[in-house]
């Protein structure tokens, strides 16, 4: 069995609780999406949220798969994936009350035997003073977009786990069984 763990650790978010989410820096948000990189400016620190393509075993095929990750960074590391494109600052200016991590477990069995298990973070939802702010990994594995939304009850807007299953329904080999489950990690 092959197992891949691409979850974002909740430890990094514990330090953010009670801090001001100052702004987001990224390419211009188009249709709620940005490509590959968003800078999160929180409590005097800079965090780089990425969904970068890496050549990986994608359930038996090697593809450039978007890997969602977050790490403390520096201002100079927040740049566009496109040469010469200017970054835009989107003010937030609100205190972080809590964070929800939406984690998925994607599994593939062949003739009843588990062959692949992929653990990943699908979305990060910041609960702020009076709204939520969501960052979601695009559901198509080869996509490198980051979906960004502001509003209320944003957990309801996250692509459902059936999105993963849809990719297997059409043209998949007989005897292969996909499964996707999800859990929510609340950090306060």
């Amino acid at each position: 069995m092959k197992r891949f763990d691409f979850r974002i650790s909740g430890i990094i978010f514990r330090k953010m609780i009670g801090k001001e989410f100052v702004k987001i820096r990224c390419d211009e948000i188009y249709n709620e999406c940005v490509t590959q990189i968003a800078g999160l400016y929180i409590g005097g620190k800079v965090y780089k949220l990425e969904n970068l393509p890496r050549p990986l075993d994608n359930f038996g095929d090697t593809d450039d798969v978007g890997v969602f990750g977050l790490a403390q960074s520096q201002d100079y590391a927040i740049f566009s994936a496109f040469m010469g494109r200017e970054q835009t600052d989107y003010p937030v200016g609100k205190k972080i009350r809590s964070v929800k991590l939406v984690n998925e477990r994607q599994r593939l069995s062949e003739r009843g035997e588990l062959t692949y298990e992929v653990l990943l973070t699908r979305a990060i939802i910041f609960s702020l003073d009076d709204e939520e702010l969501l960052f979601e990994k695009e559901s198509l594995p080869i996509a490198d977009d980051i979906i960004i939304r502001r509003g209320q009850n944003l957990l309801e807007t996250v692509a459902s786990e059936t999105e993963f299953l849809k990719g297997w329904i059409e043209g998949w080999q007989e005897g292969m069984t996909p499964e996707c489950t999800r859990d929510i990690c609340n950090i306060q």
Side-chain angles (χ1 to χ4, degrees), residues 14 32 39 45 47 51-52 58 71 74-75 81 86-87 89 109 111-112 115 119 122 128 132 140 146 169 183-184:
R14 288 191 183 106
E32 299 184 326
K45 296 186 186 317
Y47 298 89
N51 190 20
L52 295 179
N58 185 26
Q74 299 294 322
D75 192 59
E86 289 291 318
Q87 297 285 278
D89 286 348
S109 297
R111 299 190 194 329
T115 53
L119 307 170
R122 169 67 54 213
L128 307 173
E132 293 178 333
L140 184 64
I146 300 170
I169 292 172
D183 61 70
I184 311 301

Side-chain angles (χ1 to χ4, degrees), residues 23-179:
K23 67 181 178 181
I24 305 163
R25 178 175 288 163
C26 56
D27 289 346
E28 183 178 348
I29 298 173
Y30 180 73
N31 286 340
E32 299 184 326
C33 290
V34 298
T35 301
Q36 295 185 357
I37 298 171
L40 314 183
Y41 291 71
I42 298 171
K45 296 186 186 317
V46 178
Y47 298 89
K48 186 176 186 179
L49 180 65
E50 301 177 313
N51 190 20
L52 295 179
R54 292 180 18 199
L56 293 170
D57 181 334
N58 185 26
F59 298 99
D61 293 324
T62 299
D63 288 318
D64 284 336
V65 175
V67 177
F68 205 39
L70 179 75
Q72 190 171 333
S73 189
Q74 299 294 322
D75 192 59
Y76 67 83
I78 309 303
F79 53 85
S80 177
F82 305 102
M83 289 287 276
R85 184 173 289 178
E86 289 291 318
Q87 297 285 278
T88 302
D89 286 348
Y90 294 92
V92 177
K94 298 181 180 180
K95 186 182 285 190
I96 298 171
R97 301 292 181 195
S98 64
V99 178
K100 288 183 182 104
L101 296 179
V102 180
N103 292 321
E104 283 185 0
R105 171 172 290 176
Q106 302 173 350
R107 303 172 95 181
L108 182 64
S109 297
E110 188 172 356
R111 299 190 194 329
E113 183 179 332
L114 183 61
T115 53
Y116 283 91
E117 182 174 59
V118 178
L119 307 170
L120 62 90
T121 298
R122 169 67 54 213
I124 304 162
I125 302 172
F126 290 91
S127 295
L128 307 173
D129 292 327
D130 59 354
E131 68 176 336
E132 293 178 333
L133 183 54
L134 170 134
F135 299 89
E136 180 179 352
K137 178 188 181 337
E138 172 64 49
S139 60
L140 184 64
I142 60 172
D144 58 2
D145 290 336
I146 300 170
I147 298 165
I148 301 175
R149 293 189 185 104
R150 290 177 87 158
Q152 300 293 333
N153 303 315
L154 294 178
L155 182 59
E156 296 171 9
T157 71
V158 175
S160 76
E161 50 267 58
T162 60
E163 289 297 314
F164 169 75
L165 302 176
K166 284 180 190 175
W168 296 98
I169 292 172
E170 294 179 17
W172 196 243
Q173 299 170 357
E174 192 174 319
M176 302 295 244
T177 307
E179 173 189 356

